[in-house]
Amino acid sequence: MFTTKQIEKFNRQLYEIYDELCFNFIETDREIWWPTPFYTNLDEYEFKESYDLFNGNCGIVLFFLKLYQFDRNADHLRIVNKAMYRILNSSEVLHPKFFALYTGLGGVVYTCLKIFEVTDDEFYKDKALALTLHNEKELTELLKADLLSGYTGNLLLFCLLYHHTNHPKVLSMVSFLIDRLIAEARISEQGLKWDYSRSKKAYDSMTGFSHGASGIAWVLMQVGQYFNASGLIYLAEEALRYEMQYFQESAKNWLDLRLGPHRLNKPDVHEWKLETFLPEMTDVNAWAHGAAGIALSRQMALQITKEKKYEEHCQNALERCLHDLEKLTRTDFTLVSGYCGMIPFLLECEMNAQVALILGQASALHQKTNSYNTYVSCSIDDYGLLSGKAGIGYIILQILTDQSSAGILAPGLPHNDKKSVFEYEYSEIQIKKLIFSNYYTRTLNKLQHFSAFESKDIDGFKIKLQSEILQIQNDEIAASFNLESALVDLWKKHKGYFSFEQKHKYWLKRVEENLKLCDKVLTDKNLRLSDRVKLYRPLKRIENGLLLFISDENGVKEINVGLFTALILNAIEKEKMKGEELVKLLHATLFGDTPNEKSLMQLADKVVQQTRLLIEAGFIEVSD
């Protein structure tokens, strides 16, 4: 419990923020709005108007709505209604360009539903439904999967809308996005991951609550609970298991895998080793990225599963947060990236003294600078929810009204008293079947009657499938299994689109340089197999050729190559080899006799021509 003196301080701080928000809005007879700062370059910003939850007017509306719930001052509802009139009639909402929960139209729908929950005004519920149905395609086809700016955030939104409307079209949108999450799940060294495509510029699929695995897991747990769908809880746990690959015990934190330009300027980036980027990846601890946000999903997982490992994860996160609060070296108290974003997690841990410390320091910074984040100059004029001043008031209201909910920082779903329509369709066994079958399609098509999909992950499934195949002793099925198992091993190591995009920048430069070399110089260079190429040798040999597995931006693909190419690649698979040595080896392999100068020169010409083609295709790399 907070002391009476602490509560009085919170109240003063709250109404100081309220006064500033009221002083800075623009009002007409029917409308109220706040200008939103946008940077025009690194040092200057201008004011526009934004409707989103992140830093726009919908987020500020949620502050006034929660303030109304707290003190029941009817004037707060007047502000809410006039602000929503402006938002709902703006061209940006009537013809939206952005559709995510925190950064687009999804936030408008969410705000309408929250107003309906507080006021019972059917207008807002109807408007939420109309906006969703009118923009169905855009709301379901976002490129990213994450909570903040992707379709997973909209999945949570659609479930909330379905709860209030029971509209069958909304339910089909829920199902569509669940199916998409299942289809886009990718195996890793452990667990499952999303955002595998070009949508994210990161070392691997991201960790964290706003853009990473924890936020996706949070939504899956909420939706799984709502529909009593055990398979969605399974997917959530697999997302959290993936994320643990990037937990650093020494820092008590999960790595921030984002790779901006400054990190990509490091040497040997093309090798894509974690150690290259590691020194800067443990620094961030906020709601958006790092332990403070990630812990929210761990608390939910602990509540649902009662698994002790999640209790340990929460303890690690708490230790990191307490360590950061001992220093308080950053002057950022915003919800998205600052210390106030830690408050929901700290409240669950009953760390009231630390919460009071954060808000006290936030108040002191604001008194001194008129800002809650001195790292950006526009923070003085930022009244937004996640990025600015309304967020500090909102989190104070969370303390004063309901400490059991993180509100906008971890949006939840109501309890569902109705029978689940998805209990069987998205059961754990059904989802495992869909995911595992995706990697062993050819084997299962030949096997036909295999149904043991109870394994925890793809590794356990592989063992069960292998056991079944050994019993029936069918060479054709065994060949498919071995091939697909080799592909699985490559899929698990694949770091996604962005890793290969960066590697290609280096490869293309090297290719251009090497293809300019004359034949004599090229044959004096060392040749080696590209690390994105793996040779596959099936039990039954491919007649006059070889099967290659190629890892690229879009995943892993198979290519058949002819005998001559196969001989070249096979020769340099284990270790690098000079071109002239390669010619001699191939001559001995092909002809077996003592080479003469003429036959060596003829073969050398063919080898050089083929090598140039393989360098251009990215199958061979050249070194001194």
Side-chain angles (χ1 to χ4, degrees):
M1 296 290 292
F2 290 98
T3 66
T4 301
K5 187 174 182 179
Q6 287 171 331
I7 295 294
E8 289 174 353
K9 286 184 177 179
F10 296 158
N11 270 285
R12 284 198 300 273
Q13 194 171 354
L14 169 66
Y15 285 102
E16 286 172 2
I17 294 168
Y18 162 77
D19 288 341
E20 186 171 354
L21 289 170
C22 288
F23 181 78
N24 286 284
F25 64 55
I26 301 168
E27 184 172 14
T28 66
D29 289 343
R30 306 184 72 177
E31 299 175 335
I32 282 176
W33 72 96
W34 290 261
T36 305
F38 285 85
Y39 278 99
T40 54
N41 56 53
L42 289 175
D43 303 314
E44 297 178 323
Y45 61 92
E46 61 184 27
F47 292 99
K48 298 182 182 179
E49 191 174 347
S50 169
Y51 61 80
D52 65 35
L53 285 177
F54 189 91
N55 67 346
N57 282 251
C58 275
I60 302 172
V61 165
L62 288 185
F63 164 75
F64 278 94
L65 185 68
K66 188 168 282 292
L67 185 59
Y68 168 73
Q69 289 178 277
F70 174 62
D71 64 13
R72 291 295 163 177
N73 184 335
D75 190 60
H76 304 331
L77 278 186
R78 179 188 70 84
I79 294 172
V80 165
N81 288 320
K82 293 186 74 170
M84 288 305 296
Y85 182 88
R86 171 88 175 186
I87 291 167
L88 293 173
N89 288 283
S90 67
S91 60
E92 289 81 4
V93 171
L94 296 174
H95 307 285
K97 297 178 181 178
F98 308 103
F99 299 90
L101 176 57
Y102 288 87
T103 56
L105 185 67
V108 180
V109 176
Y110 181 83
T111 304
C112 285
L113 291 174
K114 287 296 161 181
I115 298 172
F116 167 70
E117 288 177 354
V118 172
T119 66
D120 289 325
D121 188 337
E122 295 279 337
F123 167 80
Y124 287 106
K125 181 178 74 171
D126 294 342
K127 183 59 72 172
L129 180 60
L131 285 171
T132 300
L133 296 181
H134 184 70
N135 296 280
E136 173 191 353
K137 182 178 180 182
E138 291 80 5
L139 283 162
T140 54
E141 292 187 359
L142 290 172
L143 184 61
K144 300 175 184 177
D146 67 49
L147 171 66
L148 190 137
S149 56
Y151 66 83
T152 303
N154 284 350
L155 171 59
L156 187 77
L157 174 66
F158 296 159
C159 288
L160 183 62
L161 181 60
Y162 174 70
H163 180 83
H164 290 303
T165 64
N166 291 312
H167 198 286
K169 188 65 176 177
V170 177
L171 185 63
S172 71
M173 293 167 72
V174 169
S175 182
F176 176 86
L177 289 187
I178 294 174
D179 290 343
R180 185 175 170 189
L181 273 168
I182 297 168
E184 293 183 6
R186 292 289 179 266
I187 56 173
S188 183
E189 295 287 1
Q190 66 181 46
L192 296 170
K193 61 184 181 180
W194 285 265
D195 274 337
Y196 195 78
S197 65
R198 69 181 69 197
S199 61
K200 292 290 175 65
K201 290 178 168 53
Y203 174 80
D204 198 353
S205 296
M206 287 172 60
T207 66
F209 202 81
S210 65
H211 290 301
S214 285
I216 294 171
W218 174 269
V219 173
L220 286 166
M221 285 187 284
Q222 290 284 335
V223 178
Q225 275 197 311
Y226 184 84
F227 287 112
N228 194 30
S230 60
L232 302 187
I233 305 298
Y234 166 75
L235 283 180
E237 289 203 85
E238 286 297 287
L240 298 181
R241 199 159 73 90
Y242 161 76
E243 195 170 50
M244 287 306 295
Q245 291 180 93
Y246 296 111
F247 174 73
Q248 292 288 297
E249 178 67 36
S250 59
K252 299 292 183 182
N253 200 10
W254 286 259
L255 299 181
D256 175 10
L257 299 177
R258 292 173 296 172
L259 295 177
H262 65 291
R263 293 183 180 178
L264 293 172
N265 287 331
K266 295 177 180 291
D268 302 325
V269 165
H270 63 281
E271 294 181 4
W272 214 249
K273 294 179 180 178
L274 186 61
E275 293 77 15
T276 303
F277 312 106
L278 192 58
E280 297 172 322
M281 285 184 165
T282 60
D283 296 343
V284 178
N285 178 24
W287 171 80
H289 303 277
I294 286 171
L296 296 173
S297 65
R298 264 60 188 184
Q299 286 176 326
M300 174 62 70
L302 177 62
Q303 176 187 326
I304 293 173
T305 69
K306 308 298 188 288
E307 291 278 350
K308 289 292 184 181
K309 62 184 177 183
Y310 297 122
E311 188 174 345
E312 181 183 339
H313 299 172
C314 291
Q315 182 59 36
N316 285 327
L318 180 59
E319 288 180 26
R320 174 56 191 247
C321 290
L322 295 179
H323 171 77
D324 290 349
L325 292 176
E326 285 178 3
K327 298 181 177 181
L328 276 174
T329 54
R330 303 186 73 246
T331 51
D332 180 357
F333 290 87
T334 61
L335 298 191
V336 65
S337 58
Y339 293 113
C340 284
M342 295 183 181
I343 289 178
F345 171 57
L346 294 172
L347 287 173
E348 287 293 322
C349 298
E350 299 183 349
M351 293 288 152
N352 291 358
Q354 285 73 22
V355 170
L357 171 67
I358 290 171
L359 289 173
Q361 292 296 313
S363 178
L365 180 68
H366 186 260
Q367 293 293 327
K368 184 178 179 181
T369 66
N370 195 29
S371 168
Y372 288 107
N373 179 9
T374 62
Y375 292 97
V376 288
S377 57
C378 74
S379 182
I380 292 173
D381 298 308
D382 191 336
Y383 308 111
L385 188 62
L386 268 70
S387 61
K389 300 181 180 183
I392 313 303
Y394 182 92
I395 211 68
I396 293 172
L397 285 164
Q398 287 294 128
I399 296 169
L400 297 175
T401 56
D402 180 11
Q403 296 183 15
S404 66
S405 168
I408 195 61
L409 293 185
L413 293 173
H415 178 70
N416 180 15
D417 295 321
K418 305 166 189 174
K419 181 175 174 59
S420 172
V421 293
F422 292 145
E423 189 169 352
Y424 172 76
E425 184 177 354
Y426 298 123
S427 66
E428 185 172 338
I429 195 70
Q430 288 296 109
I431 285 184
K432 286 179 175 179
K433 182 177 181 179
L434 289 168
I435 291 175
F436 299 159
S437 298
N438 189 43
Y439 291 95
Y440 285 96
T441 305
R442 285 169 279 193
T443 304
L444 292 171
N445 285 341
K446 290 181 174 68
L447 202 55
Q448 293 183 341
H449 300 300
F450 185 80
S451 59
F453 292 95
E454 300 88 356
S455 305
K456 179 180 180 181
D457 55 25
I458 195 73
D459 295 328
F461 177 74
K462 174 183 174 181
I463 292 170
K464 284 192 174 183
L465 189 57
Q466 186 175 36
S467 177
E468 176 81 7
I469 292 169
L470 287 172
Q471 290 180 36
I472 62 175
Q473 296 185 343
N474 182 301
D475 289 345
E476 185 181 355
I477 296 175
S480 291
F481 171 79
N482 290 334
L483 186 148
E484 290 185 309
S485 293
L487 287 170
V488 162
D489 290 341
L490 292 178
W491 272 110
K492 288 164 69 174
K493 294 179 174 65
H494 202 292
K495 302 303 182 196
Y497 184 96
F498 190 60
S499 65
F500 283 91
E501 184 179 64
Q502 297 306 304
K503 289 179 181 182
H504 276 163
K505 290 179 180 179
Y506 173 82
W507 291 340
L508 290 172
K509 181 180 178 181
R510 293 287 292 164
V511 165
E512 185 178 352
E513 293 170 353
N514 289 320
L515 290 180
K516 290 178 180 178
L517 299 174
C518 67
D519 291 354
K520 186 178 184 306
V521 174
L522 185 59
T523 55
D524 196 42
K525 297 284 187 180
N526 284 308
L527 307 175
R528 68 179 179 88
L529 193 67
S530 170
D531 61 3
R532 73 186 188 111
V533 177
K534 299 297 178 186
L535 311 187
Y536 179 71
R537 298 174 179 84
L539 296 175
K540 183 179 179 181
R541 293 187 63 184
I542 300 173
E543 195 67 28
N544 297 323
L546 186 66
L547 182 63
L548 304 183
F549 294 152
I550 311 295
S551 298
D552 62 15
E553 290 92 337
N554 300 309
V556 184
K557 60 187 178 184
E558 305 161 44
I559 296 178
N560 287 309
V561 295
L563 178 60
F564 192 53
T565 296
L567 289 172
I568 294 174
L569 297 179
N570 190 66
I572 61 173
E573 178 188 16
K574 302 296 184 184
E575 58 185 25
K576 62 185 179 181
M577 181 180 296
K578 285 188 178 295
E580 57 186 22
E581 295 172 1
L582 176 62
V583 172
K584 291 177 183 178
L585 178 63
L586 292 179
H587 194 283
T589 302
L590 291 169
F591 306 115
D593 55 352
T594 303
N596 58 56
E597 187 175 345
K598 182 179 179 181
S599 63
L600 275 175
M601 288 181 62
Q602 289 174 340
L603 181 59
D605 288 341
K606 293 181 180 179
V607 170
V608 169
Q609 290 175 24
Q610 189 64 27
T611 299
R612 288 185 181 278
L613 293 174
L614 294 173
I615 291 171
E616 189 173 8
F619 294 177
I620 287 180
E621 295 180 11
V622 179
S623 60
D624 293 324

